[in-house]
Amino acid sequence: MSSVSAWFNGLWTDITLWFDDFSDDFYTVFIKKDRYEQMLTGLENTLIITLGALLIGVVIGIVVAAIRSSYDKNKESLKLHGGIGSFILSFLNFICKIYLTVIRGTPVVVQLMIAYFLIFVSVKDGVPVGIFAFGINSGAYVAEIFRGGIMSVDNGQFEAGRSLGFNYVQTMWYIVIPQTFKAVLPTLCNEFIALLKETSVAGYVGVMELTKAGNSIAGVTYNYFLPLLTVAAVYLVIVMILSWLVSRLERRLRVSER
Amino acid sequence: MNGKDNILIEVNGLCKYYNGDKIKALDGVDIDIRSGEVVVIIGPSGSGKSTFLRSLNLLELPTHGHIIFDGVDICDKKVNINLHRQKMGMVFQHFNLFPHKTVLDNMTIAPIKLMKIPKDKAQTYAMELLERVGLADRAANYPSQLSGGQKQRVAIVRALCMKPEVMLFDEPTSALDPEMVGEVLDVMKNLASEGMTMVVVTHEMGFAREVGSRVVFMDGGKIVEQGTPSDIFENPQSPRLKEFLSKVL
């Protein structure tokens, strides 16, 4: 009987000791010298870069996807009719292809460092450069996602729109694009999640984002456990919130499939 | 009435080549389609009948030739084809209803956006048409909730909402279950009896015989023979048509 209570007493002492250690660590890592503020700044910068890059990425994505799919859909009539419009579209399509190849063929860290150390040498703040670099990078992936969505809509839809008298742009806008949203949304959400996590390399150009904040706290306090797990948990929570929002949106878009 | 005996569509030397000039889907088609006529096009698969029909509203761009619709050569690059397509309704084999819109929205989107008709007016007219094909109670449904025959009837009235001068039918019953063919053909018969100009590509020989004012037999991208249904079915001239009829009748 007494051995059991001794075991419990021992366990209790261990737990209290662990809690003492934990609160000490917690104090050093987050409270002392207001280090939690570093984390908050990191979180803020991560979100700013992600959202800014997403915006740029979606805009670039729409433009590039519009050019690429217009070219693909009108290849035949362009060949027949020729003219300056055909030349311009072929040229734009060519530029887009180069953009996609280069951006998707090189690592985002390298692109980021090129942007910071070679292109925007005079800009000392890494955040706008990060938004720019990640935006350009994301645009390439978003463009292919949108283009895939547009091409996945049955050509009969396009023909039905044209046969009613809609022009190319109206057919795209009223008939094809609304149908692509549903198909594109999960992949677009994936891209957003990937982007959020990719911004963790912005530390390479001196941006105090979430990962860098955790890492630098760890470096100063010699405690890697708490800062890194906290950083991981914060990313996880953001991604979970995002996934939840998207799944709700998907459910609302699914109305026409009852 | 443009003097020339009510000719609505005049097709001259229409050619459609693929792969350079190797494949000739259409090889010099000439035909006049008059107002109020029901022209039924029959022929074996690969004979160019669908390509011909789809050329009439330039869904297929002809390589050579002219299509004069309402006195305008719509093959001319300077012509705004979108305006002319508004006057040519088209019905497809696979219906091509817009899945993200209700039946009513499918029908009213073009009149509202293109002809700038007020929404309530467009909807009233659409409901009238739905009533006529017996689908008024389906107005709020999405296409995925309809049967094939219902979808095709909606597709027909969607095209009618633009008040077209001619209706083009591209094998409208080929994708339907046999028991649903009748309901679609009935709608087309009614349309014909109301005097609508129709060009119909079909395998329904019964429909061609009963409703067609003229039957056109195509093969190898050319019109081989044409005439009244009784000419074509009772008294075929060319060996190719005789062979075709012996297989399908």
Side-chain angles (χ1 to χ4, degrees):
Chain A
M1 220 30 203
S2 64
S3 69
V4 172
S5 70
W7 185 79
F8 266 112
N9 279 335
L11 186 66
W12 180 245
T13 326
D14 283 352
I15 290 174
T16 41
L17 275 177
W18 188 82
F19 263 107
D20 283 348
D21 278 359
F22 182 81
S23 59
D24 281 355
D25 286 354
F26 190 87
Y27 177 76
T28 350
V29 168
F30 293 114
I31 315 292
K32 199 172 170 192
K33 294 190 180 168
D34 287 339
R35 287 193 178 116
Y36 70 93
E37 278 182 359
Q38 222 171 319
M39 279 281 191
L40 287 181
T41 315
L43 176 62
E44 193 190 345
N45 281 337
T46 293
L47 290 178
I48 288 173
I49 293 175
T50 308
L51 288 176
L54 184 83
L55 233 74
I56 295 177
V58 167
V59 171
I60 293 178
I62 289 172
V63 172
V64 172
I67 293 170
R68 296 261 293 132
S69 51
S70 301
Y71 178 80
D72 285 350
K73 279 209 184 287
N74 295 317
K75 240 187 252 171
E76 197 201 356
S77 73
L78 288 176
K79 222 182 282 168
L80 267 176
H81 284 261
I84 184 79
S86 148
F87 174 77
I88 292 173
L89 192 55
S90 310
F91 180 71
L92 289 175
N93 183 55
F94 179 68
I95 301 279
C96 290
K97 269 185 160 170
I98 291 180
Y99 162 71
L100 293 173
T101 310
V102 171
I103 294 300
R104 295 198 299 168
T106 52
V108 65
V109 197
V110 177
Q111 293 165 14
L112 179 68
M113 292 200 289
I114 288 174
Y116 188 73
F117 295 115
L118 299 182
I119 301 174
F120 297 105
V121 190
S122 55
V123 182
K124 292 285 167 280
D125 185 0
V127 174
V129 179
I131 291 175
F132 173 82
F134 285 110
I136 298 279
N137 179 271
S138 185
Y141 294 93
V142 174
E144 287 300 272
I145 292 171
F146 283 158
R147 191 173 72 94
I150 291 170
M151 295 318 252
S152 76
V153 174
D154 178 33
N155 202 43
Q157 292 292 314
F158 192 79
E159 289 184 343
R162 295 307 301 268
S163 79
L164 285 169
F166 286 114
N167 64 30
Y168 178 81
V169 175
Q170 288 169 326
T171 306
M172 278 292 165
W173 188 251
Y174 293 128
I175 291 153
V176 177
I177 290 177
Q179 293 184 50
T180 64
F181 275 127
K182 247 187 308 190
V184 152
L185 206 58
T187 346
L188 202 59
C189 173
N190 267 349
E191 169 56 24
F192 192 15
I193 289 172
L195 178 64
L196 171 77
K197 293 182 294 185
E198 268 174 1
T199 58
S200 60
V201 298
Y204 272 85
V205 295
V207 178
M208 181 54 71
E209 41 71 49
L210 192 54
T211 307
K212 171 96 170 180
N215 198 25
S216 77
I217 292 173
V220 182
T221 57
Y222 302 109
N223 184 334
Y224 281 85
F225 182 79
L226 261 185
L228 292 186
L229 284 196
T230 310
V231 166
V234 173
Y235 280 117
L236 184 63
V237 168
I238 301 174
V239 170
M240 282 166 69
I241 292 173
L242 195 67
S243 309
W244 178 74
L245 285 175
V246 171
S247 72
R248 278 196 56 161
L249 189 59
E250 268 181 73
R251 228 173 303 147
R252 280 189 54 185
L253 287 175
R254 220 176 286 142
V255 184
S256 59
E257 280 170 15
R258 270 173 303 181
Chain B
M1 309 270 165
N2 46 17
K4 248 175 138 189
D5 197 19
N6 277 348
I7 293 176
L8 184 62
I9 306 175
E10 183 184 338
V11 180
N12 289 324
L14 199 65
C15 296
K16 173 71 178 178
Y17 302 154
Y18 292 105
N19 282 352
D21 287 350
K22 282 190 211 96
I23 300 166
K24 298 185 174 179
L26 290 179
D27 194 10
V29 175
D30 301 289
I31 192 172
D32 293 339
I33 294 161
R34 291 172 188 79
S35 278
E37 234 187 345
V38 178
V39 176
V40 182
I41 303 171
I42 59 172
S45 55
S47 60
K49 52 194 195 306
S50 269
T51 310
F52 169 69
L53 190 80
R54 291 159 53 82
S55 296
L56 289 181
N57 65 356
L58 298 200
L59 281 186
E60 299 281 352
L61 288 173
T63 319
H64 305 296
H66 299 281
I67 299 165
I68 292 134
F69 174 58
D70 265 349
V72 179
D73 183 359
I74 56 173
C75 292
D76 188 333
K77 283 172 208 168
K78 291 181 203 100
V79 168
N80 181 359
I81 184 61
N82 300 314
L83 292 177
H84 295 280
R85 279 187 182 138
Q86 292 181 17
K87 294 183 259 169
M88 304 170 121
M90 185 156 198
V91 176
F92 300 87
Q93 183 178 355
H94 296 287
F95 330 128
N96 298 349
L97 295 179
F98 308 134
H100 61 300
K101 294 192 174 298
T102 63
V103 167
L104 197 61
D105 289 342
N106 259 280
M107 295 172 67
T108 55
I109 179 170
I112 292 173
K113 303 287 183 195
L114 291 173
M115 307 203 317
K116 307 290 174 205
I117 291 176
K119 193 176 174 187
D120 53 332
K121 246 183 164 179
Q123 288 189 338
T124 315
Y125 186 58
M127 285 309 296
E128 227 171 82
L129 288 172
L130 277 178
E131 197 83 54
R132 263 163 52 190
V133 296
L135 289 172
D137 55 330
R138 296 302 216 152
N141 286 133
Y142 285 92
S144 60
Q145 299 163 314
L146 304 181
S147 73
Q150 292 173 329
K151 280 182 199 167
Q152 196 60 300
R153 283 186 279 160
V154 171
I156 293 172
V157 286
R158 175 176 72 179
L160 289 177
C161 271
M162 292 295 283
K163 304 193 171 140
E165 292 172 20
V166 57
M167 286 284 284
L168 312 174
F169 292 86
D170 188 5
E171 302 197 20
T173 56
S174 299
L176 295 175
D177 287 345
E179 55 185 325
M180 293 173 180
V181 170
E183 60 190 73
V184 172
L185 291 182
D186 283 343
V187 171
M188 291 168 64
K189 274 179 213 164
N190 284 336
L191 204 54
S193 67
E194 285 161 18
M196 173 62 76
T197 313
M198 293 163 64
V199 184
V200 186
V201 170
T202 187
H203 296 294
E204 295 292 328
M205 295 303 149
F207 176 83
R209 204 191 289 246
E210 192 185 336
V211 186
S213 40
R214 181 156 44 128
V215 178
V216 174
F217 173 66
M218 283 185 75
D219 190 34
K222 290 188 168 86
I223 293 176
V224 176
E225 203 170 328
Q226 56 177 308
T228 62
S230 56
D231 286 347
I232 294 290
F233 291 109
E234 261 68 72
N235 193 15
Q237 302 297 314
S238 65
R240 189 66 192 89
L241 175 57
K242 285 177 189 163
E243 186 198 336
F244 175 75
L245 290 176
S246 72
K247 280 180 193 157
V248 297
L249 289 181

